[in-house]
Amino acid sequence: MVTLTDDSDRVQTREVQSGGGFMSFDAPVAHFGLGGAGAAAEARIRWPDGSETVIAGPLEAGALYRVRRQ
């Protein structure tokens, strides 16, 4: 689960699943629309085991970020 908070405190959430059924695959990508906001203030990733990673912004609009769990 990825939760993004933009500069106006609007919160968006996306669920990301890896894998899939037989002969199917969904890329593990979450896309957020920021509208007129130039950046997001924060991203929170909740991993399947319940732990959480917080990425402090600004996270620029139009950018692609790769997150790896350490």
Side-chain angles (χ1 to χ4, degrees), residues 13-47:
T13 302
R14 303 287 184 271
E15 185 173 349
V16 179
Q17 296 181 1
S18 62
F22 178 72
M23 300 287 291
S24 70
F25 175 78
D26 290 328
V29 176
H31 179 267
F32 296 90
L34 294 178
E42 172 184 274
R44 291 180 175 267
I45 298 113
R46 174 149 328 254
W47 301 100

